[in-house]
Amino acid sequence: MKKIAFMLCAAAFLGTMSSCSSDSEETVTVTNRGAKVTRTLVVTANTLSDFTFAGKTIRSTEATFENAPVSGSLKVTPVSAEFIEQEAMNIEFGSENTLAYDVQLAKKPTFEVSQEDMLSGQIVTNDQENFEMTGVKASIQVPSTTLISGNTTSPFSITTYVPIETGQWLTRGENTEDAGVLVMRCAADGAKFSEPVIVTLDIPESDGLDLVCVSEDGKEVLPMIEVGGDKRQVLLSHFSEWTTVMRATSTDNVTRATAGTEVSTHTINVSTAGKVTITYQSKTGGVWLSGKKSTTITNYIKNNLGKYVVTNVKYETPNEVPVGKLTYRVIQSYEDGSYKSGSSTFKARKYTGATIEVDIPQGGHSGGAGH
């Protein structure tokens, strides 16, 4: 079957709306470059929530927003008052057509210790349910000689959860890619200390990783001292939400050509002539490939490269399609990167938004193709 490459016809179609000559067996191959793909935002949460984006609210544990704007604010509000609400996050599609986020909402702490008891040597930890959610055991120890100001009445508690913020947290060079992997919510919120308190985090399989602790406003970056095995300690002068950030350096982040493209071919039957809406699957986000793997690294990949999902995306053919068989190809490109954090190395793959290539039979008439 003779093929007419779409790009050869594009100028005539856009400039004069004239057709490319064809016979009954000719096919126009239309390569979509994103203009016809519906921007889709997929968000999941671990509890029933109200997902609000672009003026629309969906109550569920998973929400899909189609025809999404290029940017906007995403708010995830847990229905139950037992859960802690995370801050709204800014969504920027950029060149991507599909974005996916996994929101981990923590329950409010059930284990609290008064300030008087904390100064007397008692230690407060996150409760069992919170430990089971993140796999991290967290605790606060207060020196008896410290003076507390700012908030001198509220009890002490600590809760951990995985942040949903994405992208770089710290800038340390063009090959550096840092991401938050854990938030510790320390209360009494607003309390300040004349002598720092000790926060200990037991983070599974985190030994050797380059981890730091960043204040809520991003102005303080504190070392997380290894005190044996997977245990880390950080000294805090005040309480709020502190984020554990994994610092990594990209040692080999190259976009491959043929080797970096996955192509799947599909055929559907068109029973009524006209424009056709194709629903296809698109991969998005990052996935671990090799090397050391742990919860910390998984959280890093998710919050730096995006949550890995396969989701449905819609594409409408730009011109009329005759009755018969229509063939299309889903072309999925990706980047492979090697990362080093502390003494650990691993590889991860980041998928970019899929493009679609459609073979439209002309069925005995002439017609242009658009993208």
Side-chain angles (χ1 to χ4, degrees), residues 137-153:
K137 199 64 179 177
S139 66
I140 301 173
Q141 185 176 1
V142 177
S144 60
T145 53
T146 193
L147 299 177
I148 303 175
S149 60
N151 184 343
T152 60
T153 58

Side-chain angles (χ1 to χ4, degrees), residues 280-296:
Y280 65 97
Q281 289 191 326
S282 175
K283 297 176 182 177
T284 183
V287 59
W288 176 87
L289 290 179
S290 64
K292 178 176 181 177
K293 186 178 184 182
S294 66
T295 301
T296 305

Side-chain angles (χ1 to χ4, degrees), residues 99-141:
L99 295 177
Y101 297 97
D102 186 15
V103 181
Q104 187 179 85
L105 297 165
K107 276 191 174 182
K108 295 176 180 177
T110 58
F111 184 29
E112 298 178 330
V113 177
S114 69
Q115 294 195 19
E116 182 181 6
D117 288 340
M118 291 295 295
L119 288 168
S120 298
Q122 190 166 337
I123 296 174
V124 67
T125 65
N126 57 335
D127 56 38
Q128 182 64 25
E129 186 171 359
N130 185 247
F131 165 69
E132 292 174 353
M133 182 179 76
T134 60
V136 174
K137 199 64 179 177
S139 66
I140 301 173
Q141 185 176 1

Side-chain angles (χ1 to χ4, degrees), residues 227-259:
V227 292
D230 293 319
K231 287 188 178 181
R232 306 287 181 119
Q233 285 187 346
V234 60
L235 304 180
L236 301 183
S237 62
H238 63 92
F239 276 172
S240 64
E241 288 192 343
W242 291 79
T243 302
T244 298
V245 171
M246 181 178 137
R247 306 199 299 185
T249 301
S250 175
T251 59
D252 180 22
N253 198 358
V254 180
T255 302
R256 300 178 180 178
T258 305

